[in-house]
Amino acid sequence: MSNDHLPEFPAGFWFGAATASYQIEGAVHADGRGPSIWDTYSHTPGLVLNGDTGDVACDHYHRYPEDVELLRRLGVDAYRFSIAWPRVMPTGSGDVNQRGLDFYDRLVDALLEAGITPVPTLYHWDLPQALEDAGGWRSRSTAEHFAAYTRAVVARLGDRIRHWITLNEPFCSAFLGYAVGRHAPGAREGTPALAAAHHLLLAHGLAVQELRAADAGEVGITLNPDRILPASDSAADRAAADRAETLHNRVWFDPLFAGRYPANEADVWGELADGSYRRDGDLEIIGQPLDFLGINYYRPLKVADGPLTEADPARRTAVDIRAHQQRFDGVRHTAMDWPVVPESFTDLLLDLTERYPNLPPIYITENGSAEHDVVSPGGRVHDTDRIAYLNDHLHALAAAIRAGVDVRGYFVWSLLDNFEWAFGYERRFGIVRVDYDTLERLPKDSYFWYQRLIEHHRARHRG
Ligand code: FCB
């Protein structure tokens, strides 16, 4: 294969791969780990496809040396993983379980030994169940416990880790978890879901303070902003898109990067957005300067105007905002049924940098696709659709950089096939296949493609 059409990036650009604790680790009872909301959710019949759970997952907890070796051979600069709060604090607060931290200690040492920069996320959705029982993200105290947990992690690993991500996609934690109910803890609520969004932002801000106090290096947050397109040019559809902008994007970007709460909250949520969960001074805590912004991008959203799903305000959820998702016609859809629209990636990045002039440098902390992979009789996975997806999105990213967006690196989602939340093991995002019967790892063609891209990048900048 020639290198003619490989996307090109500036010198010093990082290539990485990403995973998350509950999706790959398994070993849910090992070394004193406590239960998380995802253990509870996945063990509740009917909530996860095929009844799958993260009990074993990829058994990365025991097989991490093999996975680090896969990363080393891939040639990545950095590896994004997440730390499981319930391993570090089994009930979410109080005593620190050093045996849980021992695992990350070993992992970090193995990565450094392999020449790979560790980039942990402190929260990728596995809230300790005991904290959920006390209100979860609806409660302000969860944000305070998150700060204490952050302090414990940085005290143990801060000597070797110099890049930290506080939260992964708080949109999903707050709104899929507490409003749609398709993620743990599976609630469908209004004001409490908006409170959850606020407390997640507060938790981020309090964690930033802890990391700064510990002189921990570079600190950022990972968001999943959506490129939102109105279904038509009508005023009603454009207004629906504007409401969706607030739900998906402004809720996070305005307090983090513009020192304000979204101006149109009352239009979007009416009496649900009563602000009862906010206190004076919160905006200052939330909006502290960051060293980088992580962006996860997969697909754009198209929305149209329509009626509220629930007429009774007492039963209305925070995602019920008269903006109804529409299908994209004439484009390929992945195994997630997500439309493949790479140019939306470029547009999103350009648009965000224009709307928020104070954005810090960006890392793409996730991008990838689930495909219907097949193992060939020769024992290979010829995942050409995934390669096309990655290639097209990396070209779209390179175009954004050429147009002036400051992007410093890219992490493919995911190193391994893994537990894809409510879709269980059926949806495969890995560039390495995992056989869930034997737990054997098999690099797919996309793994070798990515390896070649990284080699090409290095050769270009050496020469
Ligand atoms: C993101 C999540 C990640 C993974 C991908 C497909 O929303 O952060 O854990 O599930 O989607």
Side-chain angles (χ1 to χ4, degrees):
M1 273 195 278
S2 87
N3 289 335
D4 289 354
H5 298 296
L6 288 177
E8 298 193 335
F9 293 90
F13 189 85
W14 274 9
F15 290 97
T19 63
S21 48
Y22 190 72
Q23 296 182 275
I24 65 166
E25 286 178 358
V28 289
H29 301 297
D31 299 323
R33 178 186 179 276
S36 80
I37 54 174
W38 270 99
D39 296 283
T40 309
Y41 188 88
S42 65
H43 280 271
T44 307
L47 295 184
V48 174
L49 201 61
N50 303 320
D52 290 340
T53 74
D55 288 2
V56 178
C58 308
D59 195 31
H60 170 78
Y61 194 81
H62 299 111
R63 291 166 200 255
Y64 74 89
E66 188 182 343
D67 296 335
V68 172
E69 179 55 19
L70 282 164
L71 288 162
R72 194 190 62 73
R73 277 174 25 219
L74 185 57
V76 289
D77 301 284
Y79 172 52
R80 174 176 180 240
F81 59 99
S82 80
I83 296 177
W85 187 349
R87 289 198 193 279
V88 178
M89 287 180 171
T91 57
S93 60
D95 288 345
V96 176
N97 175 35
Q98 292 297 338
R99 286 188 302 156
L101 276 168
D102 288 347
F103 167 67
Y104 299 106
D105 201 272
R106 294 191 291 273
L107 174 64
V108 166
D109 284 346
L111 289 166
L112 292 172
E113 180 95 348
I116 299 164
T117 301
V119 183
T121 304
L122 287 160
Y123 184 71
H124 199 127
W125 307 350
D126 38 5
L127 184 71
Q129 181 62 43
L131 293 185
E132 178 56 29
D133 297 342
W137 288 111
R138 303 171 190 85
S139 304
R140 193 173 176 97
S141 57
T142 298
E144 284 148 14
H145 293 311
F146 184 68
Y149 153 68
T150 300
R151 200 179 318 138
V153 175
V154 79
R156 181 74 188 272
L157 302 174
D159 57 335
R160 284 153 292 156
I161 294 180
R162 306 306 296 163
H163 301 82
W164 301 85
I165 297 171
T166 54
L167 305 179
N168 176 69
E169 301 190 0
F171 170 87
C172 297
S173 304
F175 296 129
L176 300 187
Y178 291 91
V180 182
R182 287 287 287 148
H183 274 192
R188 293 191 172 88
E189 298 169 11
T191 304
L194 295 173
H198 182 69
H199 295 141
L200 281 150
L201 284 167
L202 184 67
H204 156 80
L206 294 173
V208 173
Q209 289 179 339
E210 295 293 341
L211 291 160
R212 297 297 185 216
D215 200 9
E218 296 199 13
V219 180
I221 185 171
T222 281
L223 302 176
N224 56 321
D226 274 305
R227 175 74 182 156
I228 295 167
L229 304 165
S232 80
D233 240 359
S234 73
D237 285 347
R238 282 190 280 117
D242 196 58
R243 288 191 292 277
E245 277 291 341
T246 291
L247 172 72
H248 289 270
N249 300 337
R250 292 193 192 106
V251 165
W252 320 104
F253 280 78
D254 279 13
L256 285 164
F257 303 114
R260 58 172 188 244
Y261 298 115
N264 67 341
E265 282 182 329
D267 292 348
V268 179
W269 287 295
E271 65 207 54
L272 296 185
D274 65 9
S276 53
Y277 33 84
R278 290 178 182 150
R279 292 196 191 158
D280 287 350
D282 285 357
L283 267 183
E284 287 68 37
I285 297 172
I286 295 166
Q288 291 164 85
L290 297 177
D291 302 298
F292 65 89
L293 164 65
I295 287 186
N296 294 350
Y297 175 84
Y298 291 93
R299 45 116 192 83
L301 276 186
K302 190 190 285 181
V303 298
D305 187 33
L308 285 174
T309 312
E310 175 57 63
D312 175 0
R315 295 179 41 191
R316 193 180 157 199
T317 75
V319 291
D320 193 1
I321 60 161
R322 301 179 45 231
H324 298 266
Q325 207 173 316
Q326 309 291 303
R327 259 191 101 72
F328 280 79
D329 294 325
V331 301
R332 190 176 85 78
H333 285 67
T334 68
M336 293 297 278
D337 204 23
W338 289 349
V340 180
V341 190
E343 57 274 22
S344 278
F345 192 16
T346 317
D347 295 344
L348 173 77
L349 292 167
L350 287 171
D351 191 46
L352 285 173
T353 35
E354 198 181 298
R355 279 157 58 189
Y356 298 94
N358 294 332
L359 284 191
I362 293 169
Y363 286 86
I364 303 308
T365 40
E366 289 181 25
N367 174 247
S369 77
E371 304 294 349
H372 300 288
D373 296 331
V374 178
V375 183
S376 75
R380 299 285 298 266
V381 181
H382 300 304
D383 54 341
T384 47
D385 284 340
R386 182 175 291 104
I387 293 173
Y389 180 97
L390 295 175
N391 183 56
D392 292 348
H393 283 79
L394 280 156
H395 275 290
L397 178 60
I401 295 173
R402 284 196 302 275
V405 185
D406 184 2
V407 185
R408 306 283 175 92
Y410 171 94
F411 292 76
V412 66
W413 183 272
S414 178
L415 175 68
L416 303 171
D417 288 341
N418 60 47
F419 177 80
E420 180 46 37
W421 309 113
F423 296 99
Y425 297 102
E426 204 188 85
R427 304 291 159 88
R428 293 174 177 271
F429 274 91
I431 58 170
V432 173
R433 182 180 175 86
V434 175
D435 177 323
Y436 293 113
D437 296 324
T438 63
L439 295 171
E440 247 171 82
R441 275 79 163 139
L442 174 68
K444 305 178 191 175
D445 285 0
S446 55
Y447 174 97
F448 298 109
W449 178 85
Y450 195 48
Q451 182 181 58
R452 196 162 59 82
L453 172 71
I454 298 170
E455 274 167 16
H456 171 68
H457 172 79
R458 298 239 168 91
R460 250 185 86 229
H461 290 291
R462 250 199 315 269

